[in-house]
């Protein structure tokens, strides 16, 4: 087997999607996973999957049993990054639900003791975000913030609150496994 790789999942979030892509598309040895909503949202923000596929392997959510998760059991990935992570995906993850490609990746990474770095959308009660038409304000609910807080307590999980911290944590991890 080649050197272990980084698995990066994108969910259906407009919040910091551009900043996450700007960073991750510059990395080597990354496999990109995209939720069904992520695929739609990427299109709404003007991204073409064809161009992304030229830079790295892309896995879409097309099967009920999320077959690629088996790769964690083979030591294929050293780290799982979920960024940006929607309120929906975070809510499922903290309940232990794994009924989609991305929620399965998070669950299986944990079960294989592979560290996850997660950048949730809901990190503060009031945030500016980028809708397809421009900037808007968003006010995450108590339940959304509770999801983020609960995720921080999960084993093998590092939750970051900013893109800057996401970059620092991912780069530190890549250095550690190099
Ligand atoms: C243009 C657009 C932007 C969105 N941005 C966000 C977002 O920033 N955060 C969020 O939690 N949901 C956002 N959503 C809603 C999610 O895509 C939706 O909850 C979806 O079911 C999430 O599925 P997933 O978690 O499997 O990706 C957005 C939807 C659209 C259409």
């Amino acid at each position: 087997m080649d050197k272990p790789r980084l698995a990066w999942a994108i969910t259906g979030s407009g919040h910091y999607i551009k900043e996450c892509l700007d960073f991750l598309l510059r990395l080597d040895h990354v496999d990109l996973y995209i939720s069904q909503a992520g695929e739609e949202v990427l299109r709404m923000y003007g991204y073409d999957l064809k161009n992304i596929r030229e830079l790295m392997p892309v896995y879409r959510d097309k099967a009920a049993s999320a077959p690629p998760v088996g790769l964690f059991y083979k030591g294929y990935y050293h780290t799982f990054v979920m960024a940006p992570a929607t309120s929906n995906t975070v809510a499922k993850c903290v309940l232990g639900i794994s009924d989609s490609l991305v929620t399965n990746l998070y669950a299986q990474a944990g079960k294989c003791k592979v560290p996850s770095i997660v950048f949730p959308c809901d990190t503060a009660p009031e945030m500016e975000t980028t809708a397809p038409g421009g900037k808007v304000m968003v006010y995450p609910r108590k339940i959304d913030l509770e999801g983020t807080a609960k995720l921080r307590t999960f084993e093998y999980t590092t939750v970051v609150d900013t893109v800057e911290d996401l970059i620092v944590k991912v780069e530190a991890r890549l250095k550690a496994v190099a």
Side-chain angles (χ1 to χ4, degrees):
M1 194 187 73
D2 288 342
K3 237 171 53 169
R5 298 169 65 81
L6 177 77
W8 191 305
I10 283 180
T11 59
S13 159
H15 196 56
Y16 288 115
I17 186 73
K18 179 184 182 307
E19 291 80 356
C20 287
L21 277 168
D22 284 350
F23 174 62
L24 83 93
L25 293 179
R26 286 191 278 114
L27 300 176
D28 294 322
H29 313 299
V30 174
D31 289 350
L32 184 61
Y33 289 86
I34 308 185
S35 71
Q36 291 184 3
E39 222 179 305
E40 293 177 9
V41 168
L42 277 182
R43 230 176 287 128
M44 291 178 209
Y45 285 77
Y47 292 96
D48 187 339
L49 263 195
K50 258 196 286 161
N51 298 335
I52 297 177
R53 275 187 197 285
E54 284 171 16
L55 300 172
M56 57 189 54
V58 176
Y59 294 87
R60 297 155 70 204
D61 191 352
K62 295 289 172 195
S65 60
V69 297
L71 294 171
F72 279 104
Y73 290 84
K74 297 177 182 156
Y76 195 81
Y77 296 120
H78 55 68
T79 311
F80 176 55
V81 177
M82 188 160 65
T86 58
S87 321
N88 173 60
T89 288
V90 170
K92 286 191 198 178
C93 288
V94 300
L95 286 175
I97 294 173
S98 40
D99 67 346
S100 65
L101 179 60
V102 175
T103 53
N104 261 298
L105 289 165
Y106 177 69
Q108 301 305 329
K111 288 182 181 183
C112 293
K113 301 188 173 185
V114 170
S116 289
I117 300 169
V118 185
F119 180 29
C121 292
D122 304 311
T123 54
E126 189 176 323
M127 297 179 307
E128 192 180 68
T129 190
T130 312
K135 299 275 183 202
V136 293
M137 289 305 294
V138 61
Y139 306 94
R141 304 162 301 171
K142 187 164 167 268
I143 194 165
D144 303 317
L145 297 170
E146 282 171 0
T148 299
K150 182 126 194 242
L151 198 63
R152 289 184 207 280
T153 68
F154 272 52
E155 58 271 61
Y156 307 108
T157 301
T158 302
V159 173
V160 297
D161 292 310
T162 62
V163 180
E164 292 74 24
D165 197 24
L166 171 69
I167 293 172
V168 167
K169 294 290 189 314
V170 171
E171 285 181 341
R173 178 68 185 154
L174 291 176
K175 209 166 155 194
V177 297

